[in-house]
Amino acid sequence: MSSHLSADHPAAQPPGQGSVEALISQTRRLRGDVDAVRRDSQDDTTDPRGRWQRALYDLALHQLTDLDAHLAQLRDGPAPAPRAGSLLSRVGSAEWNLLTDEAEWSAELFHILGRDPASVPLSLDELPSLVLTEDRPKLTAMVTDCLVDGRPIDGEFRVVRPDGGVRTVHMMGEPVLDADGSTASMWAVLRDVGELRRSQRAVSETRDSLRHRPSPPWHGLLRFPDEGRPGLDLAAAHLPPTSATGRRPRDGGWYDACPLGSDGETLLTVGDFGCPEAEAHAPAVLLGALRGLALAGTRPGRLRDRLAELLRATALPPVDGAVYCGYRPDTHTLTWAHASGPVPLLFRGGTGRALSGQNGPSGQDGTSGQAETTLEAGDLLLLHTGALELEAVEHLLTLAPRLTAADSAGAGVRLVTRELDDFPGRQDACVLMARVTP
């Protein structure tokens, strides 16, 4: 392909050998210093803080080693395949000519995507065929923004190789303009960042272990099904109030997932008594009642009224701000009570929205107090208690690209709890995330 000027600037001149060599020396000295500090600090790696420190040192050393390799490539030119286990992995490049519909890929890009180097490079229209279905809208949006609005590409998506393996790829690129200022082609650099993301997750998970929250008092009596339910990957958490509120945790909220009837359907509930006088055992009593009603086949639209009838015969306070959902894995149908309380949040394809009573082919059933919609594999459903303020809910919706990129419900809950940990004025809250599996 003929070369063009970048949309933003002409190509930079390669750096001098001396300046690159100096950067390599500095990087290697820093790597040696970090390694020395790591060895000196390994007195105890059995406690959570020690494991977190070790993971962070390892990640820093990996990145410095790969920075050294990057700089060596600048000095020496393209290198053969990187060492096993490197976070650097391979870096491939591509250019797509919009005038001739031709594509040029480097040998490294064929390797990253698991394609035969003798095969024809895929066009921009064909490229999404390699990408996981839930990540295709993200790739399409990045390419469209680049070609139409001239925005640089900088994002990640997951590709499926012919052997069935899934790789996370980081793509950076720009449009290339011809002499008339029109977009003539698009170039991109793609990097396999799977190892890097795994190392970063190790750091994140060990850091989260330092913030381990004790299970709510009812958890040992009616255990949440951490192994999931048919068609659902599940995770949940209780968030005590932020220190700025000056309030003590009430433990009056709950989350649960249990069979709804006997045909594989699941009842998902999150709620709160909304009463500071609620006894510590109150959620366990309520969950027992909810599970009994669910096993008897009581639909989500009737649960609120039936539960209120049962609670009137006890000393427990009334429920405040609860949401009740039923999910059928055979039809991927979600049914929820819409009469009152917080509504479910649905995250799909990098976007998030609050469900209303008018979703899906069945729409809203005013007599049953239920609404329904059809979910898709990869969708994330987030339920929360009514104590979560509107500003916090709106903030959660802005996390849609990161949440839909999460590879599990547990990873999604960890992201949510980190984001809400220091949210100003946040009260007690419970969150439950369900990821729809194929």
Side-chain angles (χ1 to χ4, degrees):
M1 287 184 187
S2 59
S3 61
H4 301 273
L5 294 179
S6 163
D8 292 331
H9 50 73
Q13 295 299 314
Q17 293 293 313
S19 58
V20 174
E21 197 67 55
L23 290 173
I24 292 174
S25 297
Q26 293 175 22
T27 300
R28 291 176 179 174
R29 284 197 299 271
L30 179 58
R31 184 179 60 189
D33 292 343
V34 172
D35 191 33
V37 173
R38 180 186 66 161
R39 290 196 302 269
D40 291 343
S41 65
Q42 289 181 9
D43 296 331
D44 184 7
T45 59
T46 59
D47 68 290
R49 185 173 184 83
R51 289 194 298 270
W52 169 72
Q53 289 177 335
R54 176 60 183 267
L56 203 53
Y57 278 129
D58 287 345
L59 178 59
L61 286 171
H62 269 304
Q63 291 177 320
L64 287 170
T65 299
D66 291 340
L67 176 60
D68 183 13
H70 273 308
L71 294 172
Q73 285 187 22
L74 284 175
R75 181 191 61 192
D76 304 330
R83 60 185 172 79
S86 170
L87 302 185
L88 173 65
S89 188
R90 288 177 180 262
V91 178
S93 59
E95 185 170 355
W96 289 273
N97 192 310
L98 305 181
L99 305 179
T100 65
D101 205 28
E102 294 177 328
E104 287 185 2
W105 287 9
S106 69
E108 291 82 3
L109 183 54
F110 280 98
H111 178 85
I112 290 172
L113 301 179
R115 307 278 296 179
D116 183 354
S119 63
V120 177
L122 299 184
S123 67
L124 277 177
D125 290 334
E126 297 169 325
L127 187 62
S129 65
L130 304 180
V131 179
L132 279 181
T133 302
E134 53 264 39
D135 287 0
R136 290 177 186 174
K138 185 190 310 182
L139 173 62
T140 300
M142 289 192 299
V143 171
T144 301
D145 288 345
C146 180
L147 298 182
V148 176
D149 299 327
R151 298 178 185 174
I153 288 177
D154 187 355
E156 296 181 6
F157 50 88
R158 292 165 293 174
V159 297
V160 182
R161 292 162 55 96
D163 61 4
V166 177
R167 300 288 181 87
T168 301
V169 174
H170 184 197
M171 183 176 184
M172 299 182 67
E174 290 183 352
V176 180
L177 307 183
D178 60 18
D180 298 327
S182 301
T183 302
S185 64
M186 189 188 88
W187 67 264
V189 174
L190 296 95
R191 176 186 174 195
D192 181 350
V193 295
E195 288 293 334
L196 175 61
R197 296 296 172 256
R198 278 189 284 274
S199 292
Q200 290 174 332
R201 281 198 297 272
V203 171
S204 176
E205 290 170 2
T206 53
R207 178 190 61 202
D208 288 345
S209 69
L210 297 177
R211 301 178 177 180
H212 175 69
R213 300 178 177 89
S215 298
W218 52 264
H219 196 271
L221 299 175
L222 294 169
R223 193 169 295 279
F224 182 77
D226 295 306
E227 71 280 2
R229 285 280 302 155
L232 295 174
D233 172 28
L234 299 172
H238 168 250
L239 288 71
T242 57
S243 56
T245 63
R247 300 178 182 178
R248 298 177 60 186
R250 290 184 289 106
D251 289 326
W254 79 83
Y255 51 81
D256 194 30
C258 69
L260 179 55
S262 57
D263 56 0
E265 189 172 4
T266 295
L267 173 68
L268 305 171
T269 66
V270 175
D272 195 338
F273 281 106
C275 176
E277 291 79 23
E279 298 292 339
H281 66 274
V285 174
L286 181 138
L287 285 176
L290 267 177
R291 290 187 177 187
L293 291 171
L295 288 173
T298 306
R299 304 303 303 162
R302 291 282 299 144
L303 276 173
R304 184 185 63 149
D305 293 339
R306 294 295 306 277
L307 193 60
E309 293 173 6
L310 291 175
L311 291 180
R312 279 196 288 270
T314 72
L316 299 180
V319 169
D320 177 44
V323 58
Y324 311 95
C325 299
Y327 177 71
R328 294 184 61 92
D330 54 344
T331 61
H332 285 194
T333 302
L334 178 76
T335 305
W336 73 97
H338 65 80
S340 65
V343 298
L345 305 182
L346 176 63
F347 298 89
R348 173 187 296 167
T351 62
R353 62 186 176 91
L355 294 179
S356 68
Q358 299 292 339
N359 291 286
S362 301
Q364 178 174 328
D365 182 349
T367 59
S368 68
Q370 293 184 165
E372 71 174 46
T373 191
T374 301
L375 302 183
E376 301 175 1
D379 282 355
L380 285 176
L381 187 72
L382 179 62
L383 310 182
H384 62 88
T385 49
L388 204 60
E389 294 80 358
L390 177 61
E391 293 79 7
V393 174
E394 291 175 345
H395 179 63
L396 292 179
L397 292 175
T398 68
L399 303 177
R402 296 164 63 188
L403 283 172
T404 53
D407 56 8
S408 68
V413 165
R414 286 192 293 272
L415 172 59
V416 168
T417 54
R418 285 197 301 270
E419 289 290 325
L420 295 183
D421 262 344
D422 299 317
F423 203 84
R426 183 183 52 74
Q427 303 178 35
D428 290 75
C430 288
V431 294
L432 184 156
M433 181 163 286
R435 183 172 183 267
V436 180
T437 58

